[in-house]
Amino acid sequence: MSHPLQFPLYTSSPGPDYLLLSPSPFQSPSPIFIYKTKIPLFPIAFKVSSRVRCLTKPSTQEDRWNEPETLVPDDGDGVEALRENAKVQHHQRDRIATSNGDSLSLGIREPVYEVVEVKSNGMLSTRKINRRQLLKSSGLRPRDIRSVDPSLFLTNSMPSLLVREHAILLNLGSLRAIAMQERILIFDYNRKGGKAFIDTLLPRLNPRNINGGPCMPFELEVVEAALLSRVQRLEQRLMTIEPRVQALLEVLHNRLTADILEELRISKQALVELGSRAGALRHMLLDLLEDPHEIRRICIMGRNCTLVKGNDNVECSVPLEKQIAEEEEEEIEMLLENYLQRCESCHGQAERLLDSAKEMEDSIAVHLSSRRLEVSRVELLLQVGTFCVAVGALVAGIFGMNLKSYLEEHVFAFWLTTAGIIVGAVAAFFLVYWYLRARKVL
């Protein structure tokens, strides 16, 4: 009589599993049935070297079709081979699980941006887009996104205008946007910069401008609207600060109080911030004007044109497109120069007001120093007078020791002593005073 043969099966499921090998109840040439004690199970039967094998697998659909099959020979060495094969499969599963766990532990959650999408026809919509979709739709690289990423606001505070093959990246203070051929994505649209940009851009997205001529390409409209909104915000800030500073400069000559000085300090701080922002924008515009390569890349965006390496000349498949690109290059340069002049004017006015405030502070400091010097002179005179009176008190204290000096027997000794103390104190005071005047201490 044959006995069933058991040995452990190495699997990734918890708990011991066993394979049961027993002779078939049918009187065929010694078939072997293999059962697994775990459930859910289903049999898979096939015939190998005149024996039928029934395999049981876990009920997951992926494992049913992807698990490699194991052939069981009918001798004693086959059992050992089956054990070794099971161990190998078990270690492979462990390595796969470990690698998956490491990838999950090292993986960073992909950021999702909430943006406002404005199309070239003026349609506005709010949507959420993850980083991968943003890179795929705009043709950018991850390092390009860092310049407009809202999560890196503090590290990317300097204004920038980056031109890529299919997109323009705008970073102008609180305005972060990616402009493409037919649409623009605006980050942080609830901030002041985003709202001002949207209010400036939407009226410009009309089929024709005010004069009735054809409007500029969408990319140029976006760039001009971004620069216009930024410069207008700087000018409005300057118009708010300038009257307040002028009023303070007029009042400070007559009223020098702590409240006035605190208001002057706040106004000076606002002027420093305004001058810094205007200066950074001016520096960006100057760099852009001095780099014709970037301007030509804006002109050929969306056209079948390329830049020749070495001389940066524009080559287009259609001659008309080359002519249009050259005309747009001149328009962009004039546009940038216009906003550069406005930015320079704003920066210069802020610097002049700041210089006036600094001069007023210096004047106040000199005035306070003169006041402190007068107080110090009065204090020194009082100290000299106190010293002279103390000398007289010393003489009076000597005569108050109740010792016999035989002066008390004279009738006029008291009056002579008192007069001598007073005259001596006054004389000592004037001597010290003239000495201090001679040494230019007073």
Side-chain angles (χ1 to χ4, degrees):
M1 179 169 178
S2 60
H3 297 280
L5 176 62
Q6 302 184 44
F7 62 93
L9 174 65
Y10 295 90
T11 63
S12 61
S13 59
D17 296 338
Y18 295 92
L19 286 177
L20 178 63
L21 304 179
S22 63
S24 173
F26 306 100
Q27 297 301 322
S28 58
S30 300
I32 294 178
F33 287 83
I34 304 174
Y35 300 98
K36 184 181 177 183
T37 59
K38 290 290 183 178
I39 58 173
L41 309 172
F42 68 94
I44 302 175
F46 59 91
K47 186 173 181 181
V48 180
S49 43
S50 301
R51 295 183 183 276
V52 178
R53 183 178 67 128
C54 294
L55 298 177
T56 61
K57 302 293 292 178
S59 59
T60 60
Q61 187 68 22
E62 183 178 357
D63 290 340
R64 293 174 185 172
W65 300 107
N66 296 335
E67 185 72 21
E69 297 178 349
T70 304
L71 303 180
V72 183
D74 51 358
D75 52 356
D77 296 336
V79 175
E80 294 297 331
L82 184 60
R83 286 184 178 180
E84 294 297 330
N85 196 2
K87 289 182 180 180
V88 171
Q89 294 179 7
H90 176 66
H91 291 310
Q92 290 177 352
R93 294 192 189 98
D94 288 342
R95 286 197 299 270
I96 294 173
T98 303
S99 63
N100 291 335
D102 293 340
S103 64
L104 291 176
S105 63
L106 295 176
I108 300 175
R109 183 178 179 182
E110 190 174 13
V112 178
Y113 305 107
E114 185 174 358
V115 300
V116 165
E117 182 181 14
V118 181
K119 296 185 178 179
S120 58
N121 56 3
M123 297 296 295
L124 187 144
S125 61
T126 304
R127 55 178 295 192
K128 292 183 178 181
I129 184 171
N130 58 25
R131 192 183 184 91
R132 190 179 301 275
Q133 293 175 351
L134 182 60
L135 294 174
K136 185 177 180 181
S137 61
S138 60
L140 298 173
R141 296 183 179 181
R143 63 173 176 267
D144 299 329
I145 301 296
R146 287 198 293 267
S147 63
V148 295
D149 194 342
S151 61
L152 303 176
F153 179 80
L154 296 178
T155 58
N156 295 328
S157 58
M158 295 299 294
S160 62
L161 194 151
L162 304 179
V163 183
R164 296 296 181 260
E165 185 176 358
H166 301 289
I168 299 175
L169 295 95
L170 297 170
N171 178 7
L172 300 177
S174 57
L175 171 62
R176 307 290 178 97
I178 300 177
M180 287 165 275
Q181 188 175 359
E182 296 294 334
R183 62 194 179 105
I184 180 173
L185 302 178
I186 306 171
F187 302 89
D188 288 343
Y189 53 89
N190 288 324
R191 303 189 65 180
K192 292 182 180 179
K195 291 181 179 179
F197 172 69
I198 293 175
D199 295 339
T200 307
L201 177 64
L202 290 180
R204 304 174 66 91
L205 298 181
N206 295 322
R208 295 182 178 275
N209 57 15
I210 300 176
N211 296 327
C215 62
M216 293 189 300
F218 180 71
E219 298 87 353
L220 299 185
E221 292 285 357
V222 168
V223 172
E224 184 175 5
L227 294 176
L228 178 61
S229 63
R230 182 60 176 173
V231 172
Q232 283 181 347
R233 289 183 61 204
L234 293 177
E235 292 174 346
Q236 291 174 0
R237 182 65 173 166
L238 179 63
M239 293 174 62
T240 303
I241 298 175
E242 184 175 4
R244 187 172 61 187
V245 175
Q246 294 291 348
L248 287 174
L249 296 179
E250 294 177 359
V251 170
L252 278 174
H253 293 286
N254 302 322
R255 276 176 46 192
L256 188 60
T257 60
D259 295 335
I260 297 295
L261 293 176
E262 179 64 20
E263 190 172 355
L264 178 63
R265 186 191 66 82
I266 295 174
S267 300
K268 181 181 175 182
Q269 185 177 0
L271 286 173
V272 170
E273 183 180 358
L274 178 62
S276 176
R277 292 180 179 178
L281 183 60
R282 181 192 62 174
H283 189 269
M284 185 203 75
L285 293 174
L286 283 174
D287 291 342
L288 196 59
L289 283 171
E290 292 176 357
D291 190 2
H293 178 76
E294 295 294 321
I295 298 178
R296 290 171 184 172
R297 290 181 66 181
I298 298 176
C299 298
I300 66 174
M301 186 176 296
R303 294 189 175 94
N304 294 325
C305 300
T306 57
L307 293 178
V308 180
K309 293 183 178 180
N311 53 11
D312 288 338
N313 291 330
V314 179
E315 289 188 355
C316 301
S317 57
V318 180
L320 181 61
E321 290 186 350
K322 182 177 180 179
Q323 182 180 357
I324 295 175
E326 292 176 353
E327 293 176 355
E328 287 184 357
E329 182 180 356
E330 295 179 359
E331 291 181 359
I332 293 175
E333 289 182 357
M334 295 176 60
L335 176 70
L336 295 178
E337 288 177 356
N338 177 31
Y339 288 106
L340 177 62
Q341 292 177 359
R342 295 178 62 176
C343 185
E344 183 71 31
S345 175
C346 182
H347 179 263
Q349 184 65 17
E351 290 294 330
R352 284 191 293 271
L353 289 175
L354 185 59
D355 292 339
S356 300
K358 288 182 178 179
E359 291 178 359
M360 181 56 65
E361 277 191 342
D362 296 338
S363 176
I364 292 172
V366 171
H367 180 66
L368 292 177
S369 297
S370 64
R371 300 273 301 267
R372 284 193 294 267
L373 180 59
E374 292 178 359
V375 172
S376 298
R377 292 180 63 184
V378 173
E379 185 179 4
L380 181 58
L381 289 175
L382 291 175
Q383 289 179 357
V384 171
T386 303
F387 171 74
C388 295
V389 173
V391 172
L394 175 63
V395 176
I398 292 174
F399 284 100
M401 290 189 296
N402 295 325
L403 297 176
K404 291 184 178 181
S405 60
Y406 302 103
L407 293 176
E408 62 272 6
E409 296 179 355
H410 299 281
V411 179
F412 299 101
F414 172 77
W415 301 106
L416 292 174
T417 304
T418 303
I421 291 174
I422 294 174
V423 172
V426 173
F429 177 79
F430 279 102
L431 286 174
V432 175
Y433 176 76
W434 287 111
Y435 173 77
L436 295 176
R437 288 291 301 270
R439 298 294 301 271
K440 296 182 180 181
V441 176
L442 288 177

